[in-house]
């Protein structure tokens, strides 16, 4: 009897100890002082389920990180947006499966993680408001938009056939789905066509805006005032980047474009202006950037060479942060003609290959 | 005996806990038949890394530039957990590839330069750029077909594995056999790189 009691006690003690170790190690939240964080970077790999979110201060010092045991965390072309202090990021899973069917909400104050389930393969686009999280996915030329109710977890799903939804953008109560033709049926819109489908929050289609002449490949649309601004990573030929910036006036439903000398890579709103990055997502040539007045599209600064091929970027405060194709981490002063502030390199999670799949500003 | 159990029990419990640190078990896969081991593929990847970089046949591009031309074949040597043979796809546009994954034949992002460690871009020697584009269109028309888990059944057209999809396009359209004599009827991604019918136009190792 005594021996059984001793055995049971030893077992319980070991179990508690082991589970505690397991919980602590799995969490392994480096005690990152999140209040000091200015921006973060998402590091991942497609063939191994081990990724992390790394937080940095304004001096490019690594503060700590959040390990997440997922493959293909974040989509390096689509934005992983921050809404109300929470980072929304999609773990696709192994690249040949893409079946995690999950959206993660990472609280940037305490790095706690909330999982939202979506029964769709190949999720890649996400946006959020106070009540809902919206995602997009594509399989077999059918794109799905899913709306997740934050309170109940209920999912509303609509499918768009012969369509590839490139990205989603929420603004003023409307959901904008940037789409391109992905036909399987003969009478479907040609793949060179592109458009913006506009939905209400109940996923009822309100309007469709044709954008074919501007091109396609709109993975990072942003709202600036009442404008939706988007770069087109392909022109209508689908072989080369577009030099046209797309501008949609949400108040008047007018679509316009601005032609530039070089391909537009990205657009970031800042202080009533818009910072445009110029380059080709596939090119190793350095990206350039300049500030523009969105009412006239006249340049407010000279075009500045960012000295790296930018893959990801964000603005925190008055500083532009970028990650280059070779994991360079650079910062530039937006109040001083993009003068360089700092340079560093993103560290590696381990000795295996990884890549940077996202970058985000941490709100004050 | 009880003393021995008390001594062994903590070790067992800790081992069980450690096993929980790592990725939760993924759903079991249909059996992949007779896939060579990573060690068997290794010499071929080593030889692939030594292949000279040639100019692409399309519009003048700087030598060794990441391929975005429709019809260029992409091969990665990155090893997936269950399949050590790498992966292959065909460029459909500057931003899209067509590839066969566990979900079947699908569209994927043409972002291999950033998302994969080892990447090769291949040009088929005997074809024109228009014919390469047609091969990509052929692969696109297979979207929705399921994954072929029998790597030795390359002649089926009802399902495809990744390198078989690319191989079948050039075989059916132009009679060009991109396979090599290694591994019999199976056509693995590394064989596309080693084929006498292809040239390496991009290499990232």
């Amino acid at each position: 009897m005594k021996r059984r009691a001793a055995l049971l006690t030893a077992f319980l003690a070991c179990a508690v100890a082991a589970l505690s170790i397991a919980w602590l190690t799995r969490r392994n939240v480096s005690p990152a002082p999140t209040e000091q964080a200015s921006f973060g970077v998402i590091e991942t790999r497609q063939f191994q389920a081990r990724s992390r979110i790394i937080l940095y201060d304004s001096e490019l010092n690594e503060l700590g990180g959040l390990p997440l045991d997922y493959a293909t965390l974040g989509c390096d072309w689509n934005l992983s947006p921050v809404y109300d202090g929470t980072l929304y990021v999609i773990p696709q899973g192994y690249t040949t499966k893409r079946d995690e069917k999950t959206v993660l909400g990472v609280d940037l104050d305490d790095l706690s993680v909330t999982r939202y389930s979506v029964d769709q393969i190949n999720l890649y686009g996400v946006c959020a408001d106070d009540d809902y999280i919206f995602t997009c996915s594509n399989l077999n030329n059918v794109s799905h938009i899913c709306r997740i109710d934050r309170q109940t977890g209920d999912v509303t799903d609509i499918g768009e056939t012969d369509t590839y939804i490139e990205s989603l953008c929420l603004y003023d109560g409307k959901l904008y789905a940037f789409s391109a033709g992905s036909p399987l049926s003969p009478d479907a819109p040609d793949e060179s066509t592109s458009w913006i489908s506009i939905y209400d929050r109940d996923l009822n289609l309100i309007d469709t805006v044709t954008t074919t002449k501007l091109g396609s490949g709109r993975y990072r649309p942003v709202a600036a005032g009442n404008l939706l601004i988007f770069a087109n990573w392909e022109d209508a030929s689908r072989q080369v980047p577009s030099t046209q910036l797309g501008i949609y006036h949400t108040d008047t439903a007018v679509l316009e474009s601005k032609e530039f000398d070089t391909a537009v890579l990205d657009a970031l709103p800042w202080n009533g202006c818009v910072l445009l990055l110029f380059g080709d997502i596939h090119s190793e040539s350095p990206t350039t950037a300049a500030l523009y007045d969105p009412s006239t599209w006249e340049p407010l600064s000279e075009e500045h060479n960012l000295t790296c091929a930018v893959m990801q970027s964000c603005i925190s405060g008055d500083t532009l942060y970028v990650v280059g194709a070779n994991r360079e981490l650079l910062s530039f002063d937006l109040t001083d003609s993009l003068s360089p502030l700092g340079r560093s390199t993103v560290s590696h999670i381990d000795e295996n290959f990884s890549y940077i799949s996202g970058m985000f500003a941490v709100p004050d | 005996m009880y003393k021995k159990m008390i001594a062994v029990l903590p070790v067992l419990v800790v081992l069980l806990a450690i096993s929980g640190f790592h990725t939760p078990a993924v759903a079991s896969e249909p059996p992949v038949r007779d896939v060579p081991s990573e060690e068997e593929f290794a010499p071929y990847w080593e030889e692939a890394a030594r292949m000279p970089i040639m100019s692409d046949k399309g519009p003048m591009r700087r030598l060794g530039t990441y391929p975005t031309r429709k019809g260029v074949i992409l091969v990665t040597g990155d090893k997936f957990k269950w399949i050590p043979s790498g992966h292959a796809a065909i460029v459909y546009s500057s931003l899209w590839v067509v590839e066969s994954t566990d979900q079947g034949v699908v569209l994927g992002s043409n972002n291999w330069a950033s998302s994969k460690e080892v990447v090769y871009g291949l040009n088929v020697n005997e074809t024109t750029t228009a014919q390469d584009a047609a091969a990509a269109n052929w692969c696109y028309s297979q979207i929705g077909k399921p994954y072929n888990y029998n790597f030795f059944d390359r002649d089926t057209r009802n399902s495809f594995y990744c390198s078989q999809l690319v191989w079948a396009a050039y075989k059916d359209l132009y009679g060009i056999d991109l396979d090599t004599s290694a591994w019999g009827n199976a056509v693995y991604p590394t064989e596309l790189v080693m084929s006498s019918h292809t040239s390496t136009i991009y290499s990232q190792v």
Side-chain angles (χ1 to χ4, degrees):
Chain A
M1 185 67 183
K2 284 185 179 176
R3 285 173 179 167
R4 286 179 186 172
L7 188 64
L8 182 61
T9 304
F11 174 79
L12 288 173
C14 292
V16 169
L19 287 171
S20 300
I21 294 168
W23 183 83
L24 285 171
T25 306
R26 187 175 184 80
R27 287 273 296 167
N28 195 25
V29 178
S30 305
T34 55
E35 68 279 1
Q36 297 177 20
S38 289
F39 69 96
V41 155
I42 305 170
E43 180 188 16
T44 189
R45 59 279 301 267
Q46 291 190 335
F47 293 96
Q48 187 181 1
R50 189 164 176 230
S51 305
R52 63 173 177 160
I53 292 172
I54 316 167
L55 295 179
Y56 294 85
D57 67 12
S58 60
E59 305 297 317
L60 307 185
N61 297 309
E62 191 173 313
L63 296 172
L66 174 65
L68 291 164
D69 288 344
Y70 294 99
T72 322
L73 179 68
C75 308
D76 59 339
W77 285 356
N78 292 83
L79 297 172
S80 293
V82 175
Y83 178 80
D84 197 23
T86 297
L87 170 72
Y88 293 92
V89 58
I90 292 174
Q92 285 197 317
Y94 295 111
T95 189
T96 52
K97 300 171 73 66
R98 303 176 196 166
D99 60 351
E100 282 289 347
K101 302 182 180 180
T102 298
V103 179
L104 303 179
V106 181
D107 187 314
L108 294 175
D109 278 337
D110 59 13
L111 300 183
S112 59
V113 180
T114 304
R115 287 183 54 137
Y116 302 91
S117 293
V118 180
D119 190 19
Q120 290 296 340
I121 298 289
N122 193 29
L123 295 171
Y124 48 83
V126 60
C127 55
D129 67 12
D130 289 346
D131 301 313
Y132 303 113
I133 298 163
F134 296 88
T135 67
C136 64
S137 62
N138 181 275
L139 184 66
N140 296 340
N141 294 28
V142 179
S143 282
H144 287 263
I145 300 175
C146 292
R147 185 192 73 178
I148 310 164
D149 188 306
R150 287 176 178 276
Q151 297 302 318
T152 64
D154 292 344
V155 179
T156 303
D157 181 338
I158 62 169
E160 303 285 5
T161 57
D162 299 314
T163 298
Y164 191 95
I165 296 176
E166 298 164 334
S167 62
L168 298 176
C169 186
L170 258 177
Y171 179 76
D172 197 26
K174 292 179 185 172
L175 183 68
Y176 296 82
F178 289 77
S179 306
S182 182
L184 273 184
S185 53
D187 55 353
D190 181 82
E191 62 199 27
S192 65
T193 59
S194 69
W195 62 93
I196 307 171
S197 295
I198 305 172
Y199 302 87
D200 64 19
R201 291 164 80 234
D202 293 325
L203 299 184
N204 299 306
L205 184 65
I206 302 171
D207 197 4
T208 303
V209 180
T210 301
T211 56
T212 301
K213 290 182 181 176
L214 303 185
S216 57
R218 294 79 48 86
Y219 293 97
R220 300 175 181 173
V222 291
N226 62 350
L227 303 177
L228 280 187
I229 304 170
F230 51 95
N232 302 270
W233 286 2
E234 283 181 335
D235 70 4
S237 76
R238 308 214 65 179
Q239 292 298 302
V240 296
S242 172
T243 55
Q244 295 194 74
L245 179 72
I247 305 139
Y248 180 72
H249 295 254
T250 59
D251 52 351
T252 59
V254 169
L255 176 72
E256 64 168 318
S257 65
K258 170 69 178 172
E259 181 85 32
F260 291 90
D261 294 333
T262 53
V264 184
L265 179 65
D266 229 335
L268 295 93
W270 173 71
N271 202 25
C273 310
V274 176
L275 180 73
L276 294 182
L277 275 62
F278 299 98
D280 175 1
I281 195 68
H282 293 301
S283 174
E284 295 175 354
S285 300
T287 305
T288 60
L291 283 167
Y292 284 83
D293 179 349
S295 62
T296 62
W297 294 105
E298 292 300 315
L300 300 173
S301 73
E302 298 218 345
E303 200 164 308
H304 184 85
N305 186 331
L306 300 183
T307 69
C308 72
V310 172
M311 302 299 291
Q312 303 280 338
S313 59
C314 70
I315 293 176
S316 183
D318 295 326
T319 305
L320 169 68
Y321 298 95
V322 303
V323 169
N326 296 312
R327 302 174 78 98
E328 314 98 310
L329 198 54
L330 294 91
S331 57
F332 301 89
D333 187 347
L334 288 163
T335 66
D336 187 22
S337 302
L338 290 166
S339 59
L341 290 173
R343 190 179 187 102
S344 181
T345 305
V346 181
S347 63
H348 287 262
I349 188 172
D350 58 25
E351 69 282 0
N352 296 319
F353 171 78
S354 64
Y355 65 98
I356 307 305
S357 58
M359 192 178 202
F360 55 92
V362 177
D364 293 330
Chain B
M1 182 179 141
Y2 279 120
K3 286 182 180 176
K4 286 181 182 176
M5 286 177 67
I6 290 172
V8 169
L9 200 57
V11 176
L12 287 174
V13 174
V14 170
L15 285 174
L16 278 172
I18 290 172
S19 69
F21 291 175
H22 298 290
T23 312
V26 179
S28 60
E29 298 296 317
V32 177
R33 300 187 187 181
D34 301 328
V35 180
S37 66
E38 208 170 306
E39 290 71 29
E40 290 177 89
F41 282 118
Y44 294 90
W45 289 119
E46 288 167 9
E47 189 173 346
R50 292 191 292 267
M51 300 292 272
I53 308 300
M54 313 296 286
S55 294
D56 189 15
K57 68 174 70 122
M60 282 297 293
R61 288 172 65 86
R62 192 161 51 89
L63 189 69
T65 306
Y66 181 77
T68 57
R69 178 176 67 83
K70 191 172 186 178
V72 169
I73 299 169
L74 294 177
V75 171
T76 177
D78 291 6
K79 301 164 193 61
F80 183 50
K81 197 170 179 179
W82 290 272
I83 304 176
S85 55
H87 186 51
I90 193 164
V91 174
Y92 189 72
S93 77
S94 71
L95 299 179
W96 290 1
V97 300
V98 181
E99 57 186 339
S100 187
T101 71
D102 285 33
Q103 309 303 335
V105 182
V106 297
L107 284 175
S109 296
N110 188 11
N111 65 346
W112 287 32
S114 57
S115 63
K116 294 171 174 54
E117 184 176 17
V118 177
V119 180
Y120 298 98
L122 309 175
N123 166 43
V124 176
N125 301 327
E126 298 94 329
T127 51
T128 64
T129 56
Q131 288 175 315
D132 292 342
N137 288 340
W138 187 94
C139 292
Y140 183 95
S141 70
Q142 311 303 321
I143 286 177
K145 290 188 178 176
Y147 191 76
N148 175 12
Y149 287 93
N150 184 356
F151 287 2
F152 288 94
D153 184 12
R154 70 181 188 186
D155 294 324
T156 182
R157 296 295 182 263
N158 296 321
S159 59
F160 295 93
Y161 54 92
C162 60
S163 38
Q164 176 211 358
L165 175 71
V166 174
W167 170 85
Y170 283 93
K171 187 71 167 65
D172 286 9
L173 291 176
Y174 313 117
I176 298 174
D177 185 352
L178 300 179
D179 198 1
T180 70
S181 58
W183 298 300
N185 233 28
V187 52
Y188 290 112
T190 183
E191 294 185 89
L192 299 177
V193 183
M194 307 311 301
S195 171
S196 60
H197 297 286
T198 64
S199 302
T200 301
I201 61 169
Y202 177 81
S203 175
Q204 176 179 305
V205 294

